[in-house]
Amino acid sequence: MKFNEFDVVKLKNDDLEFGVKKSYLGTIVDVQKGTYCVEFLDDNNNTIEKALDKYYSPDELVKVN
């Protein structure tokens, strides 16, 4: 699936290395070569800064309506 900047997404699976649970919502903030930088928020609505260093493949993401 193709996503666009500012789409709201979740991960299909937890990303423990970057501290993102699959229940966290995120907004796509950058798109490069078919991968996506996502600003995820934790349960307290704080940005998970570490996750901004990673680009996720479309197979790792699910769009939230």
Side-chain angles (χ1 to χ4, degrees):
M1 175 175 216
K2 183 177 178 182
F3 301 96
N4 298 303
E5 197 169 4
F6 305 118
D7 281 351
V8 177
V9 296
K10 287 181 167 183
L11 289 179
K12 290 182 180 177
N13 298 297
D14 292 344
D15 183 353
L16 301 179
E17 180 181 350
F18 285 85
V20 182
K21 296 179 184 177
K22 66 181 181 180
S23 61
Y24 293 169
L25 294 177
T27 302
I28 295 176
V29 294
D30 191 34
V31 180
Q32 289 190 12
K33 298 179 183 177
T35 61
Y36 305 93
C37 179
V38 182
E39 181 179 2
F40 286 102
L41 300 178
D42 65 16
D43 291 329
N44 296 315
N45 290 324
N46 296 310
T47 298
I48 302 171
E49 298 286 338
K50 188 175 181 181
L52 291 169
D53 293 333
K54 181 175 181 176
Y55 279 76
Y56 291 91
S57 73
D59 294 339
E60 297 176 280
L61 302 172
V62 175
K63 189 172 180 179
V64 176
N65 294 334

